[in-house]
Amino acid sequence: RAAPFAVPATAAMAAGPPPPFEPGAPPAFREEGFADKFVRKTRENPLVPLGCLCTLGVLTYGLISFKRGNTRHSQLMMRARVLAQGFTLAAMLGGMVVTALKARS
């Protein structure tokens, strides 16, 4: 037994001619390399690389302070590193929300 909403093949063919087929070169897709992907992702959400750089800078400065024996400044930098990581995470989540909202519309 046929499905209730099935259209017989003869009715479908009588509805009109199939869309025209234009033989030609198929669209050319090139492989996206690491640098191309990095630039594209940075343009989509520039706050994530900025947050990563800030995290790396604060971490490096904190480790240098720790090596020099300035424990108070080192602790302050480690707390700042946590804040920079939180900013980076918030930027990533915000970028994902914006991308999801663009895909819906």
Side-chain angles (χ1 to χ4, degrees):
R1 183 175 165 155
F5 296 107
V7 177
T10 55
M13 291 176 82
F21 178 72
E22 297 177 15
F29 296 104
R30 66 179 185 90
E31 191 68 31
E32 185 178 38
F34 175 77
D36 296 329
K37 185 174 182 179
F38 181 78
V39 169
R40 179 175 56 85
K41 292 285 188 178
T42 301
R43 285 185 181 151
E44 288 175 6
N45 192 357
L47 295 179
V48 173
L50 179 67
C52 290
L53 287 174
C54 288
T55 302
L56 182 65
V58 169
L59 175 65
T60 303
Y61 192 57
L63 289 174
I64 290 170
S65 295
F66 180 75
K67 186 174 179 177
R68 290 181 180 167
N70 191 352
T71 56
R72 179 159 170 76
H73 197 260
S74 175
Q75 280 292 319
L76 183 66
M77 289 296 105
M78 291 302 112
R79 291 178 186 154
R81 175 192 57 85
V82 171
L83 289 175
Q85 284 178 319
F87 171 79
T88 305
L89 182 64
M92 287 187 334
L93 291 174
M96 289 180 356
V97 168
V98 168
T99 303
L101 291 176
K102 281 183 184 177
R104 285 180 111 190
S105 58

PDB file of all heavy atoms in Angstrom, residues 57-78 81:
ATOM      1  N   GLY A  57      50.778  36.229  27.893  1.00  0.00           N
ATOM      2  CA  GLY A  57      51.620  37.309  28.409  1.00  0.00           C
ATOM      3  C   GLY A  57      51.620  37.371  29.924  1.00  0.00           C
ATOM      4  O   GLY A  57      52.681  37.491  30.553  1.00  0.00           O
ATOM      5  N   VAL A  58      50.438  37.266  30.515  1.00  0.00           N
ATOM      6  CA  VAL A  58      50.346  37.333  31.981  1.00  0.00           C
ATOM      7  C   VAL A  58      51.012  36.110  32.604  1.00  0.00           C
ATOM      8  O   VAL A  58      51.710  36.219  33.620  1.00  0.00           O
ATOM      9  CB  VAL A  58      48.863  37.459  32.412  1.00  0.00           C
ATOM     10  CG1 VAL A  58      48.710  37.275  33.896  1.00  0.00           C
ATOM     11  CG2 VAL A  58      48.306  38.808  31.993  1.00  0.00           C
ATOM     12  N   LEU A  59      50.815  34.924  32.005  1.00  0.00           N
ATOM     13  CA  LEU A  59      51.449  33.712  32.516  1.00  0.00           C
ATOM     14  C   LEU A  59      52.969  33.834  32.459  1.00  0.00           C
ATOM     15  O   LEU A  59      53.674  33.516  33.435  1.00  0.00           O
ATOM     16  CB  LEU A  59      50.991  32.498  31.710  1.00  0.00           C
ATOM     17  CG  LEU A  59      51.665  31.171  32.049  1.00  0.00           C
ATOM     18  CD1 LEU A  59      51.315  30.748  33.456  1.00  0.00           C
ATOM     19  CD2 LEU A  59      51.253  30.111  31.051  1.00  0.00           C
ATOM     20  N   THR A  60      53.498  34.315  31.348  1.00  0.00           N
ATOM     21  CA  THR A  60      54.950  34.469  31.198  1.00  0.00           C
ATOM     22  C   THR A  60      55.499  35.457  32.222  1.00  0.00           C
ATOM     23  O   THR A  60      56.508  35.187  32.882  1.00  0.00           O
ATOM     24  CB  THR A  60      55.287  34.930  29.768  1.00  0.00           C
ATOM     25  OG1 THR A  60      54.752  33.988  28.847  1.00  0.00           O
ATOM     26  CG2 THR A  60      56.780  35.053  29.573  1.00  0.00           C
ATOM     27  N   TYR A  61      54.812  36.577  32.382  1.00  0.00           N
ATOM     28  CA  TYR A  61      55.274  37.588  33.342  1.00  0.00           C
ATOM     29  C   TYR A  61      55.205  37.046  34.768  1.00  0.00           C
ATOM     30  O   TYR A  61      56.085  37.304  35.591  1.00  0.00           O
ATOM     31  CB  TYR A  61      54.445  38.861  33.186  1.00  0.00           C
ATOM     32  CG  TYR A  61      55.003  40.053  33.901  1.00  0.00           C
ATOM     33  CD1 TYR A  61      56.295  40.499  33.647  1.00  0.00           C
ATOM     34  CD2 TYR A  61      54.243  40.747  34.830  1.00  0.00           C
ATOM     35  CE1 TYR A  61      56.816  41.596  34.303  1.00  0.00           C
ATOM     36  CE2 TYR A  61      54.751  41.846  35.488  1.00  0.00           C
ATOM     37  CZ  TYR A  61      56.037  42.266  35.228  1.00  0.00           C
ATOM     38  OH  TYR A  61      56.547  43.350  35.892  1.00  0.00           O
ATOM     39  N   GLY A  62      54.169  36.273  35.062  1.00  0.00           N
ATOM     40  CA  GLY A  62      54.048  35.670  36.391  1.00  0.00           C
ATOM     41  C   GLY A  62      55.147  34.659  36.658  1.00  0.00           C
ATOM     42  O   GLY A  62      55.686  34.589  37.780  1.00  0.00           O
ATOM     43  N   LEU A  63      55.489  33.846  35.658  1.00  0.00           N
ATOM     44  CA  LEU A  63      56.568  32.871  35.842  1.00  0.00           C
ATOM     45  C   LEU A  63      57.920  33.559  36.005  1.00  0.00           C
ATOM     46  O   LEU A  63      58.757  33.117  36.809  1.00  0.00           O
ATOM     47  CB  LEU A  63      56.595  31.906  34.657  1.00  0.00           C
ATOM     48  CG  LEU A  63      55.439  30.912  34.590  1.00  0.00           C
ATOM     49  CD1 LEU A  63      55.492  30.118  33.299  1.00  0.00           C
ATOM     50  CD2 LEU A  63      55.438  29.997  35.797  1.00  0.00           C
ATOM     51  N   ILE A  64      58.129  34.651  35.287  1.00  0.00           N
ATOM     52  CA  ILE A  64      59.375  35.408  35.447  1.00  0.00           C
ATOM     53  C   ILE A  64      59.449  35.997  36.856  1.00  0.00           C
ATOM     54  O   ILE A  64      60.494  35.945  37.510  1.00  0.00           O
ATOM     55  CB  ILE A  64      59.481  36.500  34.359  1.00  0.00           C
ATOM     56  CG1 ILE A  64      59.707  35.854  32.992  1.00  0.00           C
ATOM     57  CG2 ILE A  64      60.593  37.491  34.677  1.00  0.00           C
ATOM     58  CD1 ILE A  64      59.585  36.809  31.815  1.00  0.00           C
ATOM     59  N   SER A  65      58.332  36.524  37.346  1.00  0.00           N
ATOM     60  CA  SER A  65      58.303  37.075  38.706  1.00  0.00           C
ATOM     61  C   SER A  65      58.563  35.982  39.738  1.00  0.00           C
ATOM     62  O   SER A  65      59.261  36.203  40.734  1.00  0.00           O
ATOM     63  CB  SER A  65      56.950  37.725  38.988  1.00  0.00           C
ATOM     64  OG  SER A  65      56.757  38.835  38.164  1.00  0.00           O
ATOM     65  N   PHE A  66      58.014  34.802  39.504  1.00  0.00           N
ATOM     66  CA  PHE A  66      58.229  33.683  40.427  1.00  0.00           C
ATOM     67  C   PHE A  66      59.702  33.281  40.444  1.00  0.00           C
ATOM     68  O   PHE A  66      60.271  33.020  41.510  1.00  0.00           O
ATOM     69  CB  PHE A  66      57.347  32.507  40.008  1.00  0.00           C
ATOM     70  CG  PHE A  66      57.485  31.312  40.890  1.00  0.00           C
ATOM     71  CD1 PHE A  66      56.917  31.292  42.151  1.00  0.00           C
ATOM     72  CD2 PHE A  66      58.184  30.195  40.459  1.00  0.00           C
ATOM     73  CE1 PHE A  66      57.048  30.190  42.965  1.00  0.00           C
ATOM     74  CE2 PHE A  66      58.326  29.087  41.261  1.00  0.00           C
ATOM     75  CZ  PHE A  66      57.751  29.075  42.530  1.00  0.00           C
ATOM     76  N   LYS A  67      60.332  33.238  39.284  1.00  0.00           N
ATOM     77  CA  LYS A  67      61.750  32.851  39.196  1.00  0.00           C
ATOM     78  C   LYS A  67      62.642  33.869  39.895  1.00  0.00           C
ATOM     79  O   LYS A  67      63.649  33.512  40.497  1.00  0.00           O
ATOM     80  CB  LYS A  67      62.159  32.692  37.732  1.00  0.00           C
ATOM     81  CG  LYS A  67      63.553  32.168  37.573  1.00  0.00           C
ATOM     82  CD  LYS A  67      63.893  31.880  36.151  1.00  0.00           C
ATOM     83  CE  LYS A  67      65.333  31.389  36.126  1.00  0.00           C
ATOM     84  NZ  LYS A  67      65.786  31.000  34.841  1.00  0.00           N
ATOM     85  N   ARG A  68      62.265  35.141  39.826  1.00  0.00           N
ATOM     86  CA  ARG A  68      63.055  36.199  40.470  1.00  0.00           C
ATOM     87  C   ARG A  68      62.836  36.253  41.981  1.00  0.00           C
ATOM     88  O   ARG A  68      63.517  36.977  42.685  1.00  0.00           O
ATOM     89  CB  ARG A  68      62.708  37.559  39.869  1.00  0.00           C
ATOM     90  CG  ARG A  68      63.210  37.711  38.457  1.00  0.00           C
ATOM     91  CD  ARG A  68      62.865  39.064  37.908  1.00  0.00           C
ATOM     92  NE  ARG A  68      63.356  39.210  36.537  1.00  0.00           N
ATOM     93  CZ  ARG A  68      63.001  40.161  35.717  1.00  0.00           C
ATOM     94  NH1 ARG A  68      62.140  41.098  36.117  1.00  0.00           N
ATOM     95  NH2 ARG A  68      63.481  40.209  34.509  1.00  0.00           N
ATOM     96  N   GLY A  69      61.832  35.516  42.470  1.00  0.00           N
ATOM     97  CA  GLY A  69      61.581  35.479  43.904  1.00  0.00           C
ATOM     98  C   GLY A  69      60.540  36.473  44.378  1.00  0.00           C
ATOM     99  O   GLY A  69      60.322  36.608  45.584  1.00  0.00           O
ATOM    100  N   ASN A  70      59.899  37.165  43.486  1.00  0.00           N
ATOM    101  CA  ASN A  70      58.863  38.131  43.845  1.00  0.00           C
ATOM    102  C   ASN A  70      57.524  37.389  43.922  1.00  0.00           C
ATOM    103  O   ASN A  70      56.706  37.429  43.009  1.00  0.00           O
ATOM    104  CB  ASN A  70      58.817  39.250  42.800  1.00  0.00           C
ATOM    105  CG  ASN A  70      57.956  40.405  43.231  1.00  0.00           C
ATOM    106  OD1 ASN A  70      57.258  40.329  44.245  1.00  0.00           O
ATOM    107  ND2 ASN A  70      57.994  41.471  42.462  1.00  0.00           N
ATOM    108  N   THR A  71      57.308  36.698  45.059  1.00  0.00           N
ATOM    109  CA  THR A  71      56.138  35.826  45.176  1.00  0.00           C
ATOM    110  C   THR A  71      54.829  36.607  45.201  1.00  0.00           C
ATOM    111  O   THR A  71      53.824  36.129  44.667  1.00  0.00           O
ATOM    112  CB  THR A  71      56.240  34.943  46.431  1.00  0.00           C
ATOM    113  OG1 THR A  71      56.399  35.776  47.577  1.00  0.00           O
ATOM    114  CG2 THR A  71      57.402  33.976  46.321  1.00  0.00           C
ATOM    115  N   ARG A  72      54.838  37.761  45.798  1.00  0.00           N
ATOM    116  CA  ARG A  72      53.589  38.543  45.848  1.00  0.00           C
ATOM    117  C   ARG A  72      53.145  38.930  44.423  1.00  0.00           C
ATOM    118  O   ARG A  72      51.981  38.805  44.068  1.00  0.00           O
ATOM    119  CB  ARG A  72      53.786  39.789  46.704  1.00  0.00           C
ATOM    120  CG  ARG A  72      52.556  40.660  46.794  1.00  0.00           C
ATOM    121  CD  ARG A  72      52.610  41.571  48.008  1.00  0.00           C
ATOM    122  NE  ARG A  72      51.574  42.564  48.005  1.00  0.00           N
ATOM    123  CZ  ARG A  72      50.295  42.331  48.308  1.00  0.00           C
ATOM    124  NH1 ARG A  72      49.916  41.120  48.622  1.00  0.00           N
ATOM    125  NH2 ARG A  72      49.412  43.298  48.305  1.00  0.00           N
ATOM    126  N   HIS A  73      54.065  39.424  43.631  1.00  0.00           N
ATOM    127  CA  HIS A  73      53.739  39.811  42.259  1.00  0.00           C
ATOM    128  C   HIS A  73      53.387  38.584  41.423  1.00  0.00           C
ATOM    129  O   HIS A  73      52.504  38.636  40.559  1.00  0.00           O
ATOM    130  CB  HIS A  73      54.915  40.575  41.633  1.00  0.00           C
ATOM    131  CG  HIS A  73      54.539  41.349  40.421  1.00  0.00           C
ATOM    132  ND1 HIS A  73      54.790  40.875  39.162  1.00  0.00           N
ATOM    133  CD2 HIS A  73      53.901  42.536  40.267  1.00  0.00           C
ATOM    134  CE1 HIS A  73      54.321  41.743  38.280  1.00  0.00           C
ATOM    135  NE2 HIS A  73      53.785  42.765  38.932  1.00  0.00           N
ATOM    136  N   SER A  74      54.057  37.465  41.671  1.00  0.00           N
ATOM    137  CA  SER A  74      53.772  36.228  40.961  1.00  0.00           C
ATOM    138  C   SER A  74      52.341  35.762  41.236  1.00  0.00           C
ATOM    139  O   SER A  74      51.624  35.354  40.309  1.00  0.00           O
ATOM    140  CB  SER A  74      54.769  35.146  41.388  1.00  0.00           C
ATOM    141  OG  SER A  74      54.431  33.919  40.792  1.00  0.00           O
ATOM    142  N   GLN A  75      51.920  35.823  42.502  1.00  0.00           N
ATOM    143  CA  GLN A  75      50.542  35.438  42.843  1.00  0.00           C
ATOM    144  C   GLN A  75      49.524  36.358  42.172  1.00  0.00           C
ATOM    145  O   GLN A  75      48.486  35.900  41.688  1.00  0.00           O
ATOM    146  CB  GLN A  75      50.340  35.486  44.369  1.00  0.00           C
ATOM    147  CG  GLN A  75      50.867  34.279  45.083  1.00  0.00           C
ATOM    148  CD  GLN A  75      50.043  33.052  44.724  1.00  0.00           C
ATOM    149  OE1 GLN A  75      48.824  33.095  44.619  1.00  0.00           O
ATOM    150  NE2 GLN A  75      50.736  31.941  44.502  1.00  0.00           N
ATOM    151  N   LEU A  76      49.831  37.640  42.134  1.00  0.00           N
ATOM    152  CA  LEU A  76      48.942  38.595  41.469  1.00  0.00           C
ATOM    153  C   LEU A  76      48.803  38.272  39.982  1.00  0.00           C
ATOM    154  O   LEU A  76      47.704  38.312  39.418  1.00  0.00           O
ATOM    155  CB  LEU A  76      49.478  40.021  41.668  1.00  0.00           C
ATOM    156  CG  LEU A  76      48.629  41.154  41.097  1.00  0.00           C
ATOM    157  CD1 LEU A  76      47.302  41.231  41.839  1.00  0.00           C
ATOM    158  CD2 LEU A  76      49.365  42.454  41.173  1.00  0.00           C
ATOM    159  N   MET A  77      49.910  37.919  39.345  1.00  0.00           N
ATOM    160  CA  MET A  77      49.874  37.580  37.920  1.00  0.00           C
ATOM    161  C   MET A  77      49.109  36.269  37.676  1.00  0.00           C
ATOM    162  O   MET A  77      48.421  36.134  36.664  1.00  0.00           O
ATOM    163  CB  MET A  77      51.293  37.468  37.354  1.00  0.00           C
ATOM    164  CG  MET A  77      52.013  38.802  37.220  1.00  0.00           C
ATOM    165  SD  MET A  77      51.194  39.886  36.025  1.00  0.00           S
ATOM    166  CE  MET A  77      50.398  41.051  37.094  1.00  0.00           C
ATOM    167  N   MET A  78      49.211  35.314  38.593  1.00  0.00           N
ATOM    168  CA  MET A  78      48.469  34.065  38.414  1.00  0.00           C
ATOM    169  C   MET A  78      46.963  34.316  38.543  1.00  0.00           C
ATOM    170  O   MET A  78      46.154  33.694  37.853  1.00  0.00           O
ATOM    171  CB  MET A  78      48.920  33.004  39.424  1.00  0.00           C
ATOM    172  CG  MET A  78      50.323  32.484  39.168  1.00  0.00           C
ATOM    173  SD  MET A  78      50.539  31.773  37.521  1.00  0.00           S
ATOM    174  CE  MET A  78      51.650  32.930  36.754  1.00  0.00           C
ATOM    175  N   ARG A  81      45.983  35.814  35.351  1.00  0.00           N
ATOM    176  CA  ARG A  81      45.914  34.776  34.323  1.00  0.00           C
ATOM    177  C   ARG A  81      44.555  34.088  34.333  1.00  0.00           C
ATOM    178  O   ARG A  81      43.968  33.828  33.281  1.00  0.00           O
ATOM    179  CB  ARG A  81      47.022  33.740  34.549  1.00  0.00           C
ATOM    180  CG  ARG A  81      46.945  32.557  33.598  1.00  0.00           C
ATOM    181  CD  ARG A  81      47.855  31.427  34.020  1.00  0.00           C
ATOM    182  NE  ARG A  81      47.613  30.933  35.364  1.00  0.00           N
ATOM    183  CZ  ARG A  81      46.706  30.009  35.678  1.00  0.00           C
ATOM    184  NH1 ARG A  81      45.962  29.476  34.736  1.00  0.00           N
ATOM    185  NH2 ARG A  81      46.561  29.625  36.917  1.00  0.00           N
TER     186      ARG A  81
END
